[in-house]
Amino acid sequence: MTYHHGDLRRTLLAETASAIAEDGVAKLSMRALAKRAGVSNAAPTYHFGDKSGLLTALAAEGYDRLAEAMSGVDEGGGLVDRGVAYVEFALACPSHFTVMFQPRLLHDDDAELTAARQRAWAALSVGVVKTRSGPDSDFGVAAWSLVHGYATLVLSGAVAPEDALRQARIVAGHLGEGAGKGPGKSD
C-alpha cells in the first residue's frame, strides 16, 4: 500500500482508540490496525514496536489529555471542578481511559508515559492543595478514587449516563467536605 498520511503516528493512535471503542482492547491487533489505517502491516510495528508499545503511547496521550482537561479548569476552580473535568475526560475518551489504568498492557517504564502520568497527577494535586490548604497525598488518592470510580461506573453502564456531569459535580462535591481537615481530624 502506498497511502500517504501526514502524521501516521497520530492516525494510528486515533484508529486504535476507535478500534478499542468498537471491539475492546482484547481484540486489538497490529495487523487489523494497519488495515484500518490503510498502511502496510509493518507500519504500526515501525512506530510502536509491539502492541504494548502502541497501548503505552495511547495511555500517555490519554494522561496528557487528562492533565490538559484538569488544567483547563478556570483559575479559581478547585478540586470539584477538576473532578468533573476528570469524569468529562473519561466520557469523551473512553478508550484512552480504559487503557491508561491497565498497567499489565503497558510498558510501565516508558519515559513518556511516566512524564504524562506526573502531569496528570500534578493537575489533580492543584485542586487538592486548594481544598486542603496544602499538599496531602492521602486525600489526593481519595479524591482520585472517588472521581475515577464514578467515571468507571458510568462507562460500564452501572450508572446511567444521562446527566452524568451534573451527577459528577455532586459526587465530587463530597470532596469539599474534607476541606481544612487534616489526617486524624474529625468533626
Side-chain angles (χ1 to χ4, degrees), residues 78-166:
L79 192 55
V80 172
D81 291 333
R82 289 170 195 280
V84 172
Y86 188 100
V87 173
E88 192 170 26
F89 160 78
L91 299 178
C93 302
S95 297
H96 290 81
F97 188 78
T98 297
V99 171
M100 289 162 58
F101 303 104
Q102 294 192 45
R104 73 189 190 305
L105 299 177
L106 309 174
H107 293 301
D108 210 41
D109 59 348
D110 182 80
E112 287 182 39
L113 177 63
T114 299
R117 281 179 175 154
Q118 290 170 346
R119 285 188 290 278
W121 180 254
L124 178 62
S125 295
V126 168
V128 170
V129 168
K130 286 183 178 186
T131 301
R132 298 294 283 199
S133 299
D136 183 340
S137 63
D138 292 337
F139 185 72
V141 170
W144 177 27
S145 299
L146 185 68
V147 295
H148 183 86
Y150 179 74
T152 301
L153 289 169
V154 174
L155 288 174
S156 71
V159 172
E162 296 83 31
D163 219 12
L165 294 180
R166 184 189 63 76

Side-chain angles (χ1 to χ4, degrees), residues 161-183:
E162 296 83 31
D163 219 12
L165 294 180
R166 184 189 63 76
Q167 290 177 346
R169 183 162 298 284
I170 293 167
V171 169
H174 293 290
L175 297 169
E177 294 175 2
K181 295 178 185 172

Side-chain angles (χ1 to χ4, degrees), residues 16 20 24-31 33 44-45 48-58 99 105-107:
T16 299
I20 291 170
V25 70
K27 291 187 179 179
L28 180 70
S29 78
M30 299 288 270
R31 184 175 299 273
L33 175 63
T45 303
F48 303 105
D50 58 12
K51 184 176 174 180
S52 290
L54 172 67
L55 295 175
T56 298
L58 189 71
V99 171
L105 299 177
L106 309 174
H107 293 301

